[in-house]
Amino acid sequence: METYLLILLCIAAFFAGFVDAIVGGGGLIQTPVALIVLPNLAVSTIIGTLKIPAFSGTSFAARQYLKKVDMNWKLLFIMALVAFCFAFLGSNLLTLVSNNFMKPLLLVVLSVIAIYTFTKKNFGIHQEKNLSPKKQLVLAMLMSSGIGFYDGFIGPGTGSFLVLGFVAILGFDFLHASANAKMVNLATNFGSICLFILKGKIIWAIAIPMAICNAIGGWIGAKLAIKKGNGFIRIFFLLVVIGTLIRFGYDVFFK
């Protein structure tokens, strides 16, 4: 592999880690770049390799959030366990079938998310829902199973979907949603990594330098998100959702 291609992948990994630490969606940056730079590799090999930098960046971002944001550890443990299992299943399915049929559906979903976030100005600014512990647990398990499977099977945008779930379904504000999403995202990444290691789908010579760059980006992005707060994260979230929308729109209508 040419050195300049690896440098390009590392630059993409840095920005992916930065964006992912704030609102998720870092895969929307490094995944397309990797697919272009590594056209001769199987999609499952590329996705498997990218799980290493994704896990690295999320780990460093999570560490920053843990210093400043309170976590519901009991709820997070259950969500992480469910997400891990379903991500493992999703990644196993990825090695067997194509995931292109999901993109038209995601295009519709993301359009609704972008419109709703833009029009509802107080969306995610304050914690709004007072759910009973039982109802919160059921909703959290459903959310983590669906998004966990998505992360293992498709991947890009998972962090954004987790943030959205914590805000819209569980009633968190954006700062707490971003912090808690990182912990669940670690579990989904780890579930996928376990499967891809078993399948021999990770190219470590690419994964490790990208992981270092992604971690640096994640560290910087998390510190900025904590400093700027909910209003900044909401705007950043909207930009990432629009970017995701454009990406999937291109895949659906032009590829």
Side-chain angles (χ1 to χ4, degrees):
M1 183 179 181
E2 297 291 340
T3 302
Y4 77 92
L5 294 178
L6 183 59
I7 292 173
L8 181 60
L9 288 170
C10 287
I11 292 172
F14 170 83
F15 284 106
F18 177 82
V19 171
D20 201 67
I22 300 173
V23 289
L28 296 165
I29 297 174
Q30 66 181 10
T31 303
V33 173
L35 289 170
I36 293 170
V37 171
L38 307 169
N40 297 321
L41 294 180
V43 173
S44 58
T45 298
I46 293 174
I47 298 299
T49 300
L50 294 182
K51 288 297 178 183
I52 301 299
F55 184 84
S56 174
T58 303
S59 297
F60 273 75
R63 187 168 179 267
Q64 294 301 312
Y65 281 114
L66 286 174
K67 295 177 181 178
K68 302 290 184 179
V69 182
D70 294 330
M71 303 285 190
N72 185 337
W73 289 109
K74 182 178 179 180
L75 181 68
L76 278 175
F77 176 78
I78 296 172
M79 290 184 72
L81 182 62
V82 172
F84 171 89
C85 295
F86 276 86
F88 186 93
L89 294 174
S91 293
N92 187 55
L93 186 60
L94 175 63
T95 63
L96 304 175
V97 300
S98 170
N99 58 32
N100 288 331
F101 72 93
M102 285 290 292
K103 290 176 181 177
L105 174 62
L106 291 171
L107 185 63
V108 175
V109 172
L110 288 167
S111 298
V112 174
I113 292 171
I115 293 170
Y116 185 82
T117 305
F118 181 75
T119 55
K120 191 173 181 181
K121 304 299 182 183
N122 63 340
F123 180 64
I125 300 301
H126 306 287
Q127 297 199 45
E128 296 182 351
K129 293 185 179 181
N130 293 311
L131 300 173
S132 67
K134 184 177 180 180
K135 186 174 183 180
Q136 185 185 56
L137 179 61
V138 171
L139 291 174
M141 290 179 68
L142 290 173
M143 184 183 90
S144 53
S145 61
I147 297 178
F149 185 85
Y150 168 83
D151 191 28
F153 186 47
I154 300 176
T158 297
S160 298
F161 285 125
L162 282 169
V163 171
L164 176 70
F166 274 107
V167 172
I169 298 174
L170 301 181
F172 287 41
D173 61 54
F174 268 117
L175 180 60
H176 284 81
S178 294
N180 284 269
K182 294 294 165 289
M183 306 307 294
V184 180
N185 207 175
L186 279 176
T188 63
N189 284 331
F190 189 60
S192 295
I193 287 170
C194 289
L195 185 281
F196 287 125
I197 289 176
L198 291 174
K199 296 280 187 177
K201 295 291 185 179
I202 297 175
I203 302 175
W204 293 101
I206 297 174
I208 291 175
M210 287 186 70
I212 295 170
C213 295
N214 197 293
I216 296 171
W219 180 76
I220 295 173
K223 289 182 74 69
L224 183 62
I226 293 167
K227 180 180 179 181
K228 296 293 185 180
N230 287 315
F232 169 78
I233 299 174
R234 177 187 178 275
I235 295 172
F236 216 91
F237 174 79
L238 184 59
L239 292 173
V240 171
V241 169
I242 292 172
T244 310
L245 187 62
I246 293 171
R247 159 75 194 284
F248 282 128
Y250 172 77
D251 286 348
V252 170
F253 293 111
F254 297 104
K255 289 185 69 175

